[in-house]
Amino acid sequence: SLDGSFDVDAFISNGKDKMFEKESRVGGMLTLGIPSFRLSKDIVEAEIDVLRQMGVKFVTNAEVGKYVTLDDLRLQGFEGFYLAIGAQGGRKLGVEGEEAEGVVSGIDFLKAVNKGEKAELTGRTLVIGGGNVALDVARSAVRLTCGEVSLYCLEQREDMPASAEELEDTEHEGVSVNNGWGPKRILTENGRVVGLHFLL
């Protein structure tokens, strides 16, 4: 159910091919981590529908280990298990000030956008990172703000882990890409971000 409650008896009575999803929507990071401008949600939904037609039952808001354990499932006759936890945690920079209000990991930002929780951004938006996730964050931010979106990364352009095509698309959408800048600390005032200190 969407309220986070979980009825073990209800899902066990519906057959043996089940997929348990921690979130309220199935699809994992394909649904929540990748922006729709890179991967159409219609494509993901079509793939999920194929699985439904094959008889797979999806159980949402069902974190394995919290609402149900593998031992519980074994007792109910389930014999095979595949755990796919994905890469759902954002990384921290390890710099002073990163706990301030206004600092969000790229993965958490993309998940919030895909859930419809980030309606708009105000002011300037700064993205730190040189990979494809950072570019996804920057391009998503452009769609949520009328302000400036800038990306800063330590790598030089030719060394960025992001694909050249994604980088070109990001710049085409108006994101300013700045290479050779390493974040040293996030400047804060009253718990909010007021600036960044970079090293060249």
Side-chain angles (χ1 to χ4, degrees):
S1 70
L2 294 180
D3 64 358
S5 62
F6 187 71
D7 186 344
V8 174
D9 294 330
F11 80 78
I12 287 174
S13 66
N14 289 331
K16 296 298 182 187
D17 294 324
K18 304 256 188 217
M19 192 202 87
F20 303 96
E21 171 60 57
K22 176 182 176 180
E23 302 288 348
S24 60
R25 294 169 57 190
V26 297
M29 294 306 283
L30 291 177
T31 302
L32 295 177
I34 300 176
S36 58
F37 57 80
R38 285 222 304 131
L39 176 63
S40 170
K41 301 309 174 194
D42 291 342
I43 293 173
V44 178
E45 287 300 325
E47 294 295 325
I48 292 169
D49 283 341
V50 169
L51 294 174
R52 282 194 181 99
Q53 292 168 18
M54 294 170 62
V56 176
K57 306 291 184 186
F58 293 94
V59 184
T60 58
N61 295 306
E63 183 177 352
V64 174
K66 183 175 181 181
Y67 290 107
V68 65
T69 68
L70 295 182
D71 287 340
D72 294 335
L73 295 174
R74 286 188 185 96
L75 289 173
Q76 299 299 326
F78 289 89
E79 298 175 351
F81 304 92
Y82 176 75
L83 301 178
I85 60 173
Q88 299 191 22
R91 294 188 314 182
K92 294 197 177 283
L93 295 171
V95 300
E96 179 186 338
E98 66 183 339
E99 301 301 329
E101 183 181 345
V103 179
V104 182
S105 78
I107 295 294
D108 289 342
F109 177 79
L110 291 173
K111 286 173 76 172
V113 169
N114 282 312
K115 288 179 178 181
E117 296 172 0
K118 287 277 183 188
E120 64 179 62
L121 296 173
T122 58
R124 296 175 58 198
T125 301
L126 192 143
V127 179
I128 299 173
N132 284 331
V133 170
L135 299 187
D136 285 348
V137 169
R139 294 176 69 190
S140 295
V142 165
R143 290 160 169 77
L144 296 172
T145 183
C146 57
E148 176 186 340
V149 178
S150 303
L151 183 142
Y152 286 80
C153 65
L154 183 60
E155 302 90 356
Q156 295 302 321
R157 188 179 182 95
E158 61 273 14
D159 298 322
M160 290 175 68
S163 72
E165 182 179 345
E166 293 292 329
L167 182 55
E168 184 178 326
D169 289 344
T170 300
E171 290 180 311
H172 181 72
E173 292 185 17
V175 175
S176 168
V177 177
N178 304 274
N179 299 99
W181 295 83
K184 182 175 182 181
R185 71 174 178 270
I186 299 170
L187 307 176
T188 64
E189 189 174 287
N190 299 321
R192 294 178 57 87
V193 176
V194 294
L196 283 100
H197 183 184
F198 285 98
L199 293 176
L200 277 169

